[in-house]
Amino acid sequence: MGSFTTRFARLAALLMALAAAPPGAHAGGDAAREPARTRAVTLTPHITELVFAAGAGDRIVATVTDSDYPPQARAIPRLGTGIHVDVEKTVAARPDIVIAWQPTGAAQTLAPMLKRLDIPLIYSQPKKLEDIPEEIERYGRLFDTASTARAKASELRRRIAHLRERYSSRPRVAAFIEIGGSPLYTIGSDVLLNNVLAACGAENVYAATGIAAPQVDPESVLMKDPGVVIVPARPAENVGDTLHRWRTLQLPAAMAGHIYGVDPDALFRPGPRLVDAAEQLCEYVELVRR
């Protein structure tokens, strides 16, 4: 549980930083016009996953601690975390491009050095499910693996379109995503995860908070009365403690058994596996409707 708690605390901090990120720190930019790159540094796990999905995992020469998927990524040298990074190790890796989530944390630390060395620093911040295949194709162009990237992007687009066609117009289900039980945190105004819920015909009960990962009171959740509760769990069935806690508080969703687990790395990393998590989440929401 300790490692899970630490990762949730880190997630909450990153989500709150993301909400404050300045305009322009999003997917897109000038990557399509860059020359082919061969030595990349990735500063978040989701970027590592996207680059691998584009068929260019062998171009990553260094990454951060939590980049553990796919399994081949575990062999890549580490520079630090997404917040704190070793500048000297970064220089020693001799990257010809560095890819970050947002211009804070590790990217902010590295930016002056990268500018002096004329090494491009670009950002990857998907805002909706459809941005994920767009990012994969972007890296296909960047690393000259366009054929592999197009095939993967096409598959993901097909699956995303199927989700929206099947679920998005269904009767709305109020949803609560728990990202830490003590203290209790949830997903608030996070644009991407709310877009995922919308694809399932669900609506986040805390979407209007104005905070990406707010701390909330159990009493507030009881008042909002969500129809489904989504919790980070690995394996997905490992929700017993959460189910017991909410049943003790008499939350109707818990009393009806509508508390479901999703792999936190798939759900909270805006990479290809988020489509897997979205499919699972939509199935859970559909169980509530039935």
Side-chain angles (χ1 to χ4, degrees):
M1 283 298 295
S3 61
F4 257 33
T5 302
T6 300
R7 294 179 86 165
F8 294 152
R10 188 180 302 158
L11 170 69
L14 286 172
L15 285 170
M16 286 186 281
L18 173 59
H26 56 273
D30 296 328
R33 294 187 292 274
E34 292 284 349
R37 301 291 175 174
T38 60
R39 300 183 63 81
V41 165
T42 58
L43 296 182
T44 72
H46 89 270
I47 297 170
T48 299
E49 294 188 30
L50 287 166
V51 173
F52 268 94
D58 60 342
R59 315 297 169 82
I60 304 175
V61 295
T63 188
V64 291
T65 305
D66 287 341
S67 285
D68 56 6
Y69 190 88
Q72 306 95 295
R74 297 170 188 163
I76 300 172
R78 267 42 182 171
L79 301 171
T81 69
I83 300 174
H84 303 289
V85 68
D86 189 313
V87 177
E88 291 185 4
K89 285 184 178 180
T90 305
V91 174
R94 298 184 293 110
D96 56 21
I97 193 163
V98 176
I99 313 173
W101 183 22
Q102 52 183 321
T104 58
Q108 187 174 30
T109 299
L110 294 174
M113 178 273 294
L114 296 175
K115 185 176 181 180
R116 286 197 300 272
L117 296 178
D118 198 27
I119 298 171
L121 171 61
I122 66 172
Y123 299 95
S124 171
Q125 194 183 106
K127 297 290 189 182
K128 58 184 183 296
L129 277 172
E130 287 80 2
D131 287 343
I132 292 171
E134 287 289 333
E135 284 291 273
I136 291 172
E137 288 189 330
R138 176 192 187 196
Y139 297 130
R141 295 189 296 269
L142 190 63
F143 297 108
D144 198 21
T145 58
S147 178
T148 300
R150 280 196 301 268
K152 183 63 177 179
S154 178
E155 175 213 339
L156 292 177
R157 285 194 182 98
R158 176 185 57 77
R159 291 165 61 191
I160 294 166
H162 176 73
L163 285 180
R164 295 204 186 277
E165 180 179 353
R166 181 175 181 183
Y167 297 110
S168 64
S169 60
R170 300 278 286 155
R172 280 286 188 264
V173 172
F176 171 67
I177 300 179
E178 180 177 305
I179 60 173
S182 182
L184 182 61
Y185 279 88
T186 186
I187 294 298
S189 58
D190 182 276
V191 175
L192 177 58
L193 287 176
N194 288 327
N195 179 265
V196 172
L197 287 172
C200 298
E203 190 169 43
N204 180 5
V205 295
Y206 285 99
T209 59
I211 301 172
Q215 183 176 346
V216 297
D217 295 321
E219 293 78 9
S220 171
V221 179
L222 292 171
M223 290 181 62
K224 289 183 178 292
D225 191 20
V228 62
V229 176
I230 303 298
V231 299
R234 192 188 296 117
E237 299 78 21
N238 190 22
V239 297
D241 291 345
T242 305
L243 181 62
H244 175 74
R245 170 163 46 86
W246 285 113
R247 279 184 170 171
T248 300
L249 294 170
Q250 299 288 301
L251 181 69
M255 306 307 289
H258 293 314
I259 292 188
Y260 302 105
V262 179
D263 183 332
D265 289 344
L267 182 62
F268 296 138
R269 294 179 181 179
R273 289 187 295 164
L274 181 57
V275 180
D276 300 337
E279 290 171 337
Q280 188 175 33
L281 197 155
C282 288
E283 290 177 4
Y284 292 153
V285 172
E286 190 65 12
L287 288 175
V288 176
R289 293 192 185 99
R290 292 174 185 167

